[in-house]
């Protein structure tokens, strides 16, 4: 037995040294240096992609559009006011109100399993009201498109509309992520037996996943809306294509920068938590080793003769 214990001792000591080295690696990990090294490696190995990324960030930050002369600006402002008047008066106060009234009458007369002649008449009025709304909307869009053609998609007004469309889609993607994460949290509370820290970290990862899907989907909607705006501004094929590609590069640069920054922050926070846990584990290991050395020293210390003699009765 004594020989077996002597042979096993080096293995236990060797496993403890391996654990100590692994913990020390976590403690000594330099997160900022790793991040800088990753960025340098990306730029060195993919210079073309890095150049497009930087170009997109510069476009997103400094592109403001071309200036517009006074005549074009005045024509644009006049037609824009006319389109707003059509939208508020003809569409909002007349055609839209008539459509709402026709739909209310139709839903009142509509039965559960059929539609009589009075219901059919109400449905015909709904169709007529919808056609009138569509006619007013088309008229408003034509007036607005005429004003946009006066300035062009490369103007400051065109760039402003593209920016407004991008940030609107961006906000819709973030709202989608917030709603989905709310439902995930609502249905996951109490469903698993785990610590509060693990639960919070899982919710953060879930939010990142929902935010990624939301922003990517919103960016696709932005691309479609940008195409509609380019057509509305009356740009030629090559001019519109160039504008579309530059705006797409700028949008992708913003999207990738935002998501990668979030991933880096979450990963850095996770590494910092692991470092704190490694420091705590190393401290406990050192304390346990110190206690074992004290116990071994006390066990190997020779006993003094006569220390445990019984007293004579």
């Amino acid at each position: 037995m004594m020989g077996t214990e002597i042979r096993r001792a080096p293995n236990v000591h060797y496993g403890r040294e391996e654990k100590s080295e692994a913990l020390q690696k976590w403690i000594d990990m330099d997160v900022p240096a790793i991040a800088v090294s990753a960025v340098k490696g990306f730029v060195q190995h993919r210079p073309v992609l890095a150049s497009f990324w930087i170009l997109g960030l510069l476009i997103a930050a400094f592109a403001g559009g071309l200036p517009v002369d006074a005549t074009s600006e005045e024509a644009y402002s006049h037609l824009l006011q006319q389109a707003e008047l059509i939208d508020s008066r003809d569409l909002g106060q007349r055609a839209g109100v008539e459509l709402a009234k026709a739909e209310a009458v139709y839903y009142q007369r509509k039965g559960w399993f059929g539609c009589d002649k009075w219901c059919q008449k109400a449905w015909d009025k709904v169709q007529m009201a919808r056609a009138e709304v569509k006619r007013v909307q088309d008229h408003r869009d034509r007036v607005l498109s005429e004003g946009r053609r006066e300035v062009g998609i490369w103007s400051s007004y065109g760039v402003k509309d593209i920016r407004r469309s991008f940030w609107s889609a961006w906000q819709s993607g973030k709202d989608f992520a917030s709603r989905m994460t709310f439902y995930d949290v609502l249905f996951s509370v109490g469903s698993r037996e785990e610590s509060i820290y693990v639960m919070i970290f899982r919710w953060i990862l879930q939010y990142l996943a929902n935010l990624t899907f939301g922003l990517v989907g919103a960016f696709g909607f932005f691309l479609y809306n940008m195409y509609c705006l380019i057509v509305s501004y009356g740009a030629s094929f090559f001019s519109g294509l160039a504008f579309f590609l530059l705006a797409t590069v700028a949008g992708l640069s913003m999207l990738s920068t935002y998501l990668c920054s979030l991933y880096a922050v979450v990963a850095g926070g996770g590494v910092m938590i692991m470092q704190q846990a490694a420091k705590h584990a190393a401290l406990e290991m050192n304390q346990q080793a110190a206690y074992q050395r004290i116990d071994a020293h006390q066990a190997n210390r020779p006993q003094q003769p006569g220390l445990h003699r019984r007293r004579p009765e």
Side-chain angles (χ1 to χ4, degrees):
M1 293 294 295
M2 184 64 69
T4 304
E5 291 178 357
I6 294 175
R7 286 194 298 270
R8 287 180 180 176
N11 294 331
V12 175
H13 184 66
Y14 182 70
R16 185 180 299 166
E17 287 184 353
E18 284 185 340
K19 293 180 180 179
S20 179
E21 291 178 358
L23 293 175
Q24 192 63 37
K25 288 181 180 179
W26 276 103
I27 295 173
D28 296 337
M29 185 178 296
D30 191 357
V31 179
I34 294 175
V36 172
S37 177
V39 173
K40 288 183 178 179
F42 171 76
V43 173
Q44 291 176 357
H45 292 88
R46 293 174 176 83
V48 178
L49 190 60
S51 300
F52 277 107
W53 173 62
I54 295 174
L55 175 63
L57 291 180
L58 292 175
I59 292 173
F62 300 107
L66 300 177
V68 180
D69 59 274
T71 304
S72 299
E73 186 175 3
E74 184 179 359
Y76 173 78
S77 300
H78 174 71
L79 292 172
L80 181 63
Q81 292 176 1
Q82 185 178 353
E84 292 176 351
L85 182 62
I86 295 172
D87 187 67
S88 61
R89 185 187 62 186
D90 297 341
L91 184 60
Q93 298 179 5
R94 187 176 59 82
V97 173
E98 293 296 328
L99 176 60
K101 291 180 180 179
E103 288 179 344
V105 173
Y106 167 71
Y107 287 122
Q108 288 178 358
R109 295 180 178 178
K110 182 181 180 182
W112 288 96
F113 302 102
C115 187
D116 55 10
K117 62 177 183 178
W118 302 107
C119 176
Q120 288 292 335
K121 290 182 178 180
W123 174 247
D124 293 338
K125 291 183 178 180
V126 169
Q127 294 296 99
M128 294 173 60
R130 288 179 179 176
E132 179 64 17
V133 168
K134 182 67 168 56
R135 186 191 67 79
V136 175
Q137 288 177 345
D138 292 340
H139 179 52
R140 178 202 59 189
D141 293 340
R142 285 195 300 270
V143 173
L144 186 59
S145 180
E146 290 178 4
R148 287 172 173 173
R149 291 171 186 271
E150 293 291 334
V151 293
I153 190 62
W154 293 93
S155 64
S156 57
Y157 296 100
V159 174
K160 187 182 297 184
D161 284 343
I162 294 297
R163 287 183 180 274
R164 189 182 300 114
S165 175
F166 176 80
W167 290 117
S168 177
W170 185 280
Q171 186 62 40
S172 66
K174 293 176 67 176
D175 293 340
F176 168 81
S178 300
R179 288 193 303 269
M180 296 305 296
T181 306
F182 172 76
Y183 292 127
D184 292 335
V185 172
L186 186 64
F187 290 110
S188 64
V189 173
S191 60
R192 299 181 182 180
E193 296 181 358
E194 54 189 8
S195 64
I196 186 64
Y197 300 104
V198 175
M199 187 180 300
I200 291 175
F201 190 71
R202 182 166 57 83
W203 289 344
I204 292 174
L205 294 180
Q206 190 67 40
Y207 176 74
L208 283 179
N210 293 331
L211 185 63
T212 302
F213 287 117
L215 290 181
V216 170
F219 185 74
F221 175 75
F222 161 71
L223 293 180
Y224 172 76
N225 195 18
M226 180 172 59
Y227 165 77
C228 295
L229 285 174
I230 292 174
V231 174
S232 178
Y233 271 91
S236 62
F237 175 77
F238 292 103
S239 178
L241 180 62
F243 188 92
F244 185 86
L245 292 178
L246 290 176
T248 302
V249 170
L252 285 175
S253 299
M254 290 288 296
L255 180 63
S256 60
T257 302
Y258 183 75
L259 291 179
C260 290
S261 299
L262 287 181
Y263 295 152
V265 169
V266 173
V271 171
M272 291 180 64
I273 293 174
M274 292 297 296
Q275 285 180 336
Q276 294 298 324
K279 290 180 181 179
H280 184 69
L283 181 61
E284 290 184 350
M285 185 179 295
N286 293 333
Q287 291 178 353
Q288 185 178 3
Y291 291 150
Q292 290 178 357
R293 287 195 298 268
I294 292 173
D295 294 340
H297 179 70
Q298 291 179 354
N300 296 328
R301 186 174 60 182
Q303 297 182 358
Q304 296 179 0
L307 184 62
H308 298 287
R309 290 180 182 176
R310 297 178 60 185
R311 293 180 178 180
E313 298 180 357

